Amino acid sequence: MSATYTFLGPEGTFTEAALMQVPGAADATRIPCTNVNTALERVRVGEADAAMVPIENSVEGGVTATLDAIATGQELRIIREALVPITFVLVARPGVELSDIKRISTHGHAWAQCRLWVDEHLPNADYVPGSSTAASAMGLLDEDAHYEAAICAPLIAAEQPGLNILAENIGDNPDAVTRFILVSRPGLLPERTGADKTTVVVPLPEDHPGALMEILDQFASRGVNLSRIESRPTGQYLGHYFFSIDADGHASDSRVADALAGLHRISPATRFLGSYARADRQAAVVAPHTSDAAFASAHAWVDSILKGQ
């Protein structure tokens, strides 16, 4: 029986391109969702096996909708990540020229990544927020659309004969990449590969001088590098935050396991979101004194002391 996946839709988005990197996804049931929360909720209630959602962009940073959605509610696990190079085109209906454009619709992240081009070529154009780049492009097919152009992925434009590409490669950063995560219900962790990433959410248990340092020290003292750390408000009250963290390594690595135990001691509400293979296959640099062998040797030494040897 084939798997069922949800993703941040509609069809033709960068998120679907990320999903298509998953083995078997081309033959699976793929359900586009209008927002991240809906995509994840379908997984939580068992209507889908996993959801592909964006979590980080190399230009704009973390995708807050995803960071917040996986930090609360019924627990989920990240089982895979995917990287997708991001390029944008400006599209419009046939007959529309650049000089006709007064309003442009797209997703907020896409707009932020194309601002320099827009400021140079269409300085008087207003921004119309869209739920996704694909939704904005498809909206142009409606004759009652209240904007004249959209910024979207080249794939969307190529698949829609009713859209003309007015400009290509309009992103301000030609090397922009978005990272996506495949999220499922809790279960067995993916096998350790040696090039892994572990994601956790750590609430700040008490706001006092050095509170963040206590969290970071759980990683630093064990030689665990952090590839991402972002603070997000919990929504409970002003000044109350949680930290979303990506650490190099797998939960089965002794140094990472020890760091996770340390986090739980100082912040029992820490949420483990998964250990999974890095999309770039870049192995972590591990110092000799933080290797699994070093931890095993240290524990054996303490055991020998306790046994009076």
Side-chain angles (χ1 to χ4, degrees), residues 5-7 12-30 52 80 82 84 155 159 180 182:
Y5 297 107
T6 55
F7 65 95
T13 58
F14 293 113
T15 312
E16 187 175 26
L19 178 57
M20 295 302 288
Q21 295 183 25
V22 177
D27 299 320
T29 300
R30 302 188 301 277
M52 184 68 80
R80 186 185 181 97
V84 178
L155 177 62
E159 293 181 343
F180 298 83
L182 187 66

Side-chain angles (χ1 to χ4, degrees), residues 160-186:
Q160 295 300 326
L163 298 176
N164 284 345
I165 297 178
L166 300 183
E168 298 180 293
N169 297 316
I170 66 173
D172 301 332
N173 187 335
D175 300 318
V177 174
T178 292
R179 174 180 162 231
F180 298 83
I181 52 174
L182 187 66
V183 182
S184 70
R185 293 179 294 279

Side-chain angles (χ1 to χ4, degrees), residues 5-22 25 30-36 39-40 50-56 63 66 81-88 107 109 131-135 153 155-156 178-183:
Y5 297 107
T6 55
F7 65 95
L8 180 61
E11 296 177 349
T13 58
F14 293 113
T15 312
E16 187 175 26
L19 178 57
M20 295 302 288
Q21 295 183 25
V22 177
R30 302 188 301 277
I31 304 173
C33 297
T34 56
N35 57 66
V36 169
L40 296 180
M52 184 68 80
V53 292
I55 190 172
E56 182 182 12
V63 179
T66 300
E81 69 173 8
L83 302 177
V84 178
I86 304 299
T87 58
F88 297 103
H107 187 271
H109 272 227
S131 60
S132 71
T133 55
L155 177 62
I156 300 171
T178 292
R179 174 180 162 231
F180 298 83
I181 52 174
L182 187 66
V183 182

Side-chain angles (χ1 to χ4, degrees), residues 199-231:
T199 301
V200 293
V201 170
V202 187
L204 196 62
E206 182 182 350
D207 189 11
H208 63 268
L212 176 57
M213 183 62 69
E214 291 176 357
I215 292 173
L216 298 180
D217 188 56
Q218 304 307 312
F219 298 102
S221 62
R222 295 164 177 86
V224 179
N225 182 60
L226 303 184
S227 56
R228 181 186 63 86
I229 177 169
E230 299 184 59
S231 64

Side-chain angles (χ1 to χ4, degrees), residues 21 23 80-83 193-196 276-284:
Q21 295 183 25
R80 186 185 181 97
E81 69 173 8
L83 302 177
T193 68
D196 305 291
Y276 47 94
R278 291 176 61 111
D280 59 11
R281 299 297 186 263
Q282 184 176 337

Side-chain angles (χ1 to χ4, degrees), residues 227-298:
S227 56
R228 181 186 63 86
I229 177 169
E230 299 184 59
S231 64
R232 293 291 302 152
T234 63
Q236 296 181 11
Y237 54 84
L238 189 64
H240 195 241
Y241 290 84
F242 67 79
F243 293 91
S244 179
I245 298 172
D246 288 336
D248 291 348
H250 193 280
S252 61
D253 295 330
S254 295
R255 69 187 189 283
V256 177
D258 214 44
L260 292 175
L263 286 176
H264 192 269
R265 288 198 307 272
I266 64 174
S267 182
T270 293
R271 173 172 289 201
F272 175 79
L273 290 178
S275 289
Y276 47 94
R278 291 176 61 111
D280 59 11
R281 299 297 186 263
Q282 184 176 337
V285 177
V286 183
H289 70 282
T290 63
S291 66
D292 282 6
F295 272 90
S297 177

